[in-house]
Amino acid sequence: MASTAIPRLTAGAPIGGPTRTVHVTVNDVAFEIAVQDRTLLVHFLRDILGLTGTHVGCDTTHCGACTVLLDDRPVKSCTVLAVQADGRKVRTVEGLEAGGKLHAVQEGFTAEHGLQCGFCTPGMMMTSVALLAKNPNPSEDEIRRAISGNLCRCTGYMNIVKAIQHASKASGGAK
Amino acid sequence: MIPPKFDYHAPGTVDEAIGLLQQSPGDAKVLAGGQSLLPLMKLRLAEPKVLVDISRIANLSYVREDGDWLRVGAATKINDLNDSPAIQSRYPLLADAGAHIADPLVRNMGTVGGNVCHGDPGNDLPACMLASGASYKVRGPKGDRSVPAQEFYRDTFVTALAPAEILTEVQLPKAQAGDGGAYLKMERKVGDFAIAAVAVHLRLDAKGSVTQAGIALTNVGPTVIMASKAASSLVGHKPSDADLQAAAKLAAEAAQPTSDQRGPAEFKKGVVKTLAYRALKKAWERAGGKS
């Protein structure tokens, strides 16, 4: 469900360097926006669009707190330039809820207490959404492999795995 | 951390990309997935003035068997390599390695071409390419040329690629009956470079004799290392378990590790020996070898 209105925004913090106009669809809303070439996708989302659900964790491609879906595949947005997302579709944690109803993955994390401090949760959930879209009925081993690029420093992995299994069952998976 | 300033270009063709590289000799870098380059730029270890993004170029992302070759487009994402039915069913060496490059999220951006061209001895695919006798198709201002993987890696971050050249395709000999391979990697945690890793490719004849062998080592020297003596010790006969162990010992002797945060050099040599033996055994079994 794409919005018909195309918001025209200007770039946020003046970090300097060449700029260009990008067309990016974020959570089904199409944006036409001038960004500096060196703006990272995570800063584009947080500082320019104000979508602060995507977190900056390690800022070195290790932790996965900044995970978003780029054309439906989970990527670490601290290691992607906003210009690399030009013409593409981004989904963030803000885009999971639809019509006041939580996504099955969000329900799963709630039901199974899949978070403690919550810092890794947005990234963890975006990876989970992509996993279940590709493999609706993952084994525990497949879940653990899928989230191996997302770190939880509360080490609450047991409940995170249960949360994803909960979402899988709720969405019709059998295991 | 925000990368230093650069000019970004997203050309639509390889020739256009080469033209852009020629305009800024030495100051321009190819951006494929950016999973190695962007971290280096954020840390100011690399400060290219110009980035040429090749991800918008059509027909650079594919995995297909064609004639005597398996052809992999340079901009193929690592996860697309991993999802390829041909790789999953007939190229166990690549399947093993692809599943252990960085982490699953990085593999959605990182590319095969980036992994083989970066020239970091910790990259996983170069060893696979050396072990299987791959060639790299490269295009530059003077046209196309083919570089054997074995001649590509000159020093740490130094490859045979000229400043205005772009890797377009990786070509591996097509899998046939009697082929087997394995990649074993020891890493401290998911996403880390290898403490050491070993790539093995074997080809057996109908009687179980080894007709071709390739063994290459990741992250135990300034570049990826070909363990040629170890490989040739296996050719021409049906190897016994003792032969595999002797070859693994030769592989460890070819390693040139340095002591660092991943362990002392002697430890790493021991890791190479153990991984080489296990990888040889696995490759041998996958090739249909029976003792």
Side-chain angles (χ1 to χ4, degrees), chain B residues 28 56 60 84 111 114-115 119 143 154 161 180 189 195-196 211 258 281:
Chain B
R56 317 257 168 199
L60 269 188
S84 154
T111 64
N115 198 283
R154 303 279 167 87
L161 216 52
K189 64 177 193 62
I195 294 168
T211 59
T258 49
K281 204 163 174 182

Side-chain angles (χ1 to χ4, degrees), chain A residues 36-113:
Chain A
Q36 268 120 17
D37 287 351
R38 60 186 183 138
T39 304
L40 297 168
L41 181 58
V42 68
H43 297 308
F44 169 77
L45 295 169
R46 288 177 56 88
D47 304 343
I48 300 178
L49 300 190
L51 297 172
T52 54
T54 303
H55 293 165
V56 182
C58 67
D59 204 9
T60 53
T61 341
H62 288 99
C63 79
C66 64
T67 303
V68 301
L69 304 188
L70 181 62
D71 284 344
D72 301 322
R73 297 166 75 152
V75 300
K76 293 182 167 175
S77 63
C78 77
T79 311
V80 178
L81 298 168
V83 291
Q84 287 179 286
D86 187 18
R88 293 179 175 152
K89 202 172 65 176
V90 176
R91 199 168 180 206
T92 70
V93 68
E94 289 90 345
L96 291 186
E97 182 199 316
K101 196 174 176 310
L102 292 181
H103 188 281
V105 165
Q106 292 173 307
E107 293 281 8
F109 274 72
T110 309
E112 299 292 344
H113 195 69

Side-chain angles (χ1 to χ4, degrees), chain B residues 160-186:
Chain B
L161 216 52
E165 283 185 325
I166 294 178
L167 174 83
T168 55
E169 186 178 87
V170 172
Q171 304 170 337
L172 295 98
K174 189 171 159 184
Q176 61 182 59
D179 277 4
Y183 188 73
L184 289 184
K185 175 179 182 178
M186 186 184 212

Side-chain angles (χ1 to χ4, degrees), chain A residues 27 53 91-115 121-130 132 159-160 162-168 170-171:
Chain A
N27 299 332
R91 199 168 180 206
T92 70
V93 68
E94 289 90 345
L96 291 186
E97 182 199 316
K101 196 174 176 310
L102 292 181
H103 188 281
V105 165
Q106 292 173 307
E107 293 281 8
F109 274 72
T110 309
E112 299 292 344
H113 195 69
L115 57 142
T121 312
M124 209 52 101
M125 291 203 295
M126 298 319 289
T127 298
S128 309
V129 167
L132 295 177
N159 284 1
I160 291 169
K162 282 183 197 164
I164 299 168
Q165 288 170 327
H166 189 283
S168 165
S171 312

Side-chain angles (χ1 to χ4, degrees), chain B residues 62-86:
Chain B
Y62 51 85
V63 179
R64 64 168 177 258
E65 286 176 305
D66 170 10
D68 293 335
W69 300 95
L70 169 76
R71 299 177 189 273
V72 183
T76 305
K77 307 281 189 207
I78 303 291
N79 269 345
D80 288 334
L81 179 80
N82 294 346
D83 287 346
S84 154

